[in-house]
């Protein structure tokens, strides 16, 4: 071993210090560890009932509109449009539109025409979401309990509309900034509570969000081993592609057994049978309500 003079020893010590974070940990190794750390931790909840038997799985084009359309419009569209299912905002304190027509009788008559339904619940939103339109947020500390409470609210609305157990209801979590681990974990925990609450009541759990935020976080939760996860995902990616292939953001091994809906276009004005609506276009390969 070559002996170093005091000045050389000091220089060597400084080089070693700069290569560490000051605690003796190599900076490059620490960076690798930070990159490898998962942004979603695994959380498991009791789910004694498990997913219900799905009453109806359907494949085909659908649309969703802010307000339940008039029955005469639905009749015209059923006769002339390619659509066979529609998204309906059935519950939630932060729905964007009123629902003056949405009653059990409306559901009964629409069902008689042959329509299938994608019920949607719009409640608390991600803690880091833009509060401009939907200010009520998930509390990261109480996210599981809040999800269970909102599941109970959604179930009451489904029952009042005559949508029986086995029907799904999709939790609407609007887009939020990605890469915020506290925010992402809160959304996942809320969704786990939502799913457990719906299963306990005999209903299916769905989840709607942007492919880049909510869907990405649910996919990470699936990889981490979180449980119970939603029975179906409805992902928003306005790429104009009427498919459920995942749009490059949802791996083919996740929610792959007729468990997907793709919202592929938004705010489109369409006319069929002389009746006009502004809708979002969807392609369904998953559970619907009858």
């Amino acid at each position: 071993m070559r002996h170093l003079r005091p000045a050389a020893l000091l220089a060597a010590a400084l080089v070693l210090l700069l290569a560490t974070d000051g605690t003796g940990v190599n900076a490059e190794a620490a960076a690798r560890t930070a990159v490898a750390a998962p942004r979603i931790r695994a959380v498991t909840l009791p789910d004694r009932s498990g997913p219900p038997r799905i009453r109806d799985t359907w494949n085909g084009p659908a649309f969703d509109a802010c307000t339940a359309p008039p029955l005469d419009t639905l009749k015209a569209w059923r006769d002339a449009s390619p659509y066979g299912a529609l998204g309906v905002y059935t519950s939630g304190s932060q729905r964007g539109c009123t629902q003056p027509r949405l009653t059990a009788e409306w559901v009964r008559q629409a069902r008689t025409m042959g329509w299938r339904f994608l019920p949607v619940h719009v409640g608390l939103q991600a803690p880091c979401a833009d509060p401009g339109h939907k200010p009520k947020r998930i509390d990261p500390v109480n996210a599981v309990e809040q999800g269970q409470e909102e599941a109970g609210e959604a179930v009451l609305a489904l029952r009042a509309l005559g949508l029986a157990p086995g029907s799904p209801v999709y939790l609407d979590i609007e887009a939020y900034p990605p890469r915020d681990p506290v925010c992402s974990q809160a959304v996942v925990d809320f969704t786990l509570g939502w799913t457990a609450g719906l299963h306990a009541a005999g209903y299916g759990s769905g989840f709607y969000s942007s492919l880049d935020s909510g869907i990405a976080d649910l996919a990470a939760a699936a990889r981490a081993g979180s449980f119970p996860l939603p029975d179906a995902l409805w992902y928003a990616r306005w790429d104009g592609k009427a498919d459920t292939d995942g749009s490059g953001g949802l791996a083919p091994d996740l929610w792959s057994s007729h468990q997907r809906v793709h919202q592929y276009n938004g705010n489109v004005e369409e006319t069929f049978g002389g009746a006009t609506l502004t809708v979002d276009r969807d392609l369904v390969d998953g559970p619907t309500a009858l």
Side-chain angles (χ1 to χ4, degrees):
M1 178 182 292
R2 185 166 61 91
H3 295 281
L4 299 177
R5 293 181 178 181
L9 283 171
L10 177 59
L14 287 172
V15 170
L16 180 60
L17 180 62
L18 290 172
T20 70
D21 64 357
T23 63
V25 178
N26 181 271
E28 183 180 354
R32 287 197 302 268
T33 301
V35 170
R39 72 175 188 277
I40 300 295
R41 70 178 188 277
V43 175
T44 59
L45 303 178
D47 187 31
R48 297 180 183 87
S49 302
R53 183 180 66 83
I54 299 299
R55 293 169 55 86
D56 182 65
T57 298
W58 188 72
N59 186 300
F63 72 90
D64 56 279
C66 196
T67 299
L71 287 167
D72 57 352
T73 297
L74 285 185
K75 178 66 169 64
W77 277 47
R78 193 71 187 99
D79 294 340
S81 82
Y83 298 115
L86 70 151
V88 183
Y89 292 89
T90 52
S91 58
S93 63
Q94 300 201 97
R95 285 184 287 183
C97 296
T98 60
Q99 293 286 21
R101 287 179 287 271
L102 185 57
T103 63
E105 179 61 16
W106 183 94
V107 170
R108 187 192 67 78
Q109 292 194 44
R111 182 191 293 128
T112 300
M113 296 176 197
W115 287 103
R116 290 170 163 87
F117 307 102
L118 297 162
V120 182
H121 175 90
V122 190
L124 300 178
Q125 297 296 302
C128 56
D130 181 351
H133 299 294
K134 295 178 173 63
K136 299 177 183 177
R137 311 293 193 84
I138 298 167
D139 176 2
V141 176
N142 300 304
V144 169
E145 292 78 7
Q146 288 177 326
Q148 292 170 332
E149 290 170 3
E150 298 231 351
E153 179 184 341
V155 166
L156 289 176
L158 294 175
R159 288 172 176 164
L161 293 170
L163 296 171
S167 298
V169 54
Y170 291 82
L171 174 66
D172 182 332
I173 297 291
E174 295 296 317
Y176 54 89
R179 295 180 294 277
D180 180 332
V182 173
C183 184
S184 294
Q185 190 68 52
V187 170
V188 169
D189 292 351
F190 184 87
T191 306
L192 299 179
W194 161 263
T195 300
L198 288 173
H199 287 176
Y203 285 85
S205 167
F207 179 84
Y208 165 92
S209 192
S210 164
L211 193 63
D212 295 327
S213 53
I215 300 299
D217 286 338
L218 263 290
R223 297 296 189 203
S226 295
F227 178 85
L229 293 168
D231 308 309
L233 293 189
W234 184 348
Y235 64 94
R237 171 58 60 85
W238 292 2
D239 55 10
K241 297 178 181 179
D243 60 36
T244 56
D245 294 342
S247 300
L250 185 59
D253 62 325
L254 297 176
W255 288 276
S256 57
S257 182
H258 307 292
Q259 296 171 285
R260 295 184 178 189
V261 182
H262 177 195
Q263 185 184 84
Y264 63 90
N265 263 334
N267 298 322
V268 179
E269 187 175 281
E270 295 195 82
T271 301
F272 294 102
T276 301
L277 291 173
T278 299
V279 303
D280 299 332
R281 292 172 177 163
D282 308 286
L283 196 284
V284 180
D285 181 19
T288 58
L290 286 173

